[in-house]
Amino acid sequence: MYISFLNKIKYSALIILFVNLTLVAQEDKTPNDKDYTGLITQEDFRTGYTKKWFNKAYKAYEPNEEVVQQIKKPIKQYRIKVFMGTWCPDSRRETPKLLKLLDEVNFKEKNLEIYAMDHYKSTEANYEEDLDVHHVPTIIFFDKKGNEINRFVEFPQETFEEDILKIVTNQSYQNPYAEE
């Protein structure tokens, strides 16, 4: 009986140790970990494991300067949340475009939040809750009061910057998954 009791204590201690190690491993994940989900910054893209594809796509993107000038003023009325997957080809194509466009219009980084998601389109902290994110990238434009105005999802209908122009100037725009 005494040996059985010791075995139960050892077993319980092992379970507690395993649970604690699992929690610590999740807390220690950073944007430089491939399976990280959560807030990710522009600097993380430029310096982390994403830098190879990000920097190449960022440099390659040349937005139409005329359209950029039309975006410059109205985009400053918005807060933007981006949900993307570092593993996703569409996110790897469109996220660098967005960040370059935002740099060119001097968009304030404090008005931008970018979240890395897993393959199930979720984050560990559930940042996507109530935002109906089913495809990545999803770029959601909010007014200063926090109301969603519109969203870009996965790929452009025209060109990236023309789609963004339509959104920020309140022109008629629907992403490919919007219900009519």
Side-chain angles (χ1 to χ4, degrees):
M1 183 168 158
Y2 180 73
I3 293 175
S4 176
F5 178 72
L6 286 177
N7 284 338
K8 286 180 182 178
I9 290 175
K10 287 180 187 176
Y11 180 71
S12 296
L14 284 174
I15 289 175
I16 291 169
L17 179 65
F18 177 74
V19 167
N20 284 334
L21 286 174
T22 302
L23 291 173
V24 167
Q26 289 176 357
E27 290 173 8
D28 288 344
K29 288 182 187 172
T30 70
N32 286 323
D33 296 317
K34 288 188 178 188
D35 58 348
Y36 170 81
T37 66
L39 193 61
I40 187 168
T41 67
Q42 292 186 51
E43 187 61 23
D44 294 328
F45 283 112
R46 290 181 174 92
T47 61
Y49 82 93
T50 57
K51 70 182 175 189
K52 186 175 182 179
W53 61 260
F54 177 82
N55 291 335
K56 183 178 179 182
Y58 183 95
K59 288 175 187 170
Y61 177 55
E62 295 182 16
N64 179 311
E65 188 57 35
E66 194 174 299
V67 177
V68 169
Q69 290 307 313
Q70 293 176 57
I71 291 171
K72 200 170 211 167
K73 187 175 180 183
I75 199 167
K76 294 178 181 174
Q77 302 173 56
Y78 297 92
R79 294 187 183 276
I80 301 171
K81 285 189 182 184
V82 180
F83 294 91
M84 56 85 61
T86 57
W87 45 268
C88 170
D90 296 323
S91 293
R92 287 181 172 200
R93 182 187 63 241
E94 304 302 341
T95 305
K97 289 178 183 179
L98 175 66
L99 294 182
K100 186 165 189 176
L101 179 65
L102 294 179
D103 285 346
E104 292 202 7
V105 299
N106 299 313
F107 191 78
K108 292 182 180 174
E109 193 168 350
K110 71 177 186 175
N111 292 323
L112 174 68
E113 296 174 10
I114 305 170
Y115 298 97
M117 305 185 87
D118 62 22
H119 286 78
Y120 300 102
K121 316 307 183 296
S122 64
T123 59
E124 210 167 287
N126 206 22
Y127 292 108
E128 71 285 358
E129 184 174 24
D130 298 327
L131 292 175
D132 200 29
V133 177
H134 299 287
H135 299 84
V136 290
T138 294
I139 304 167
I140 308 174
F141 293 79
F142 295 91
D143 64 18
K144 297 293 182 178
K145 294 180 181 177
N147 301 309
E148 181 176 336
I149 301 304
N150 209 330
R151 61 177 62 197
F152 172 98
V153 180
E154 202 169 18
F155 55 88
Q157 301 301 296
E158 293 180 37
T159 67
F160 183 79
E161 62 271 20
E162 288 170 339
D163 284 24
I164 300 304
L165 176 63
K166 284 185 174 185
I167 291 170
V168 301
T169 57
N170 294 312
Q171 295 178 42
S172 178
Y173 176 82
Q174 284 192 325
N175 70 71
Y177 304 100
E179 294 182 19
E180 306 239 359

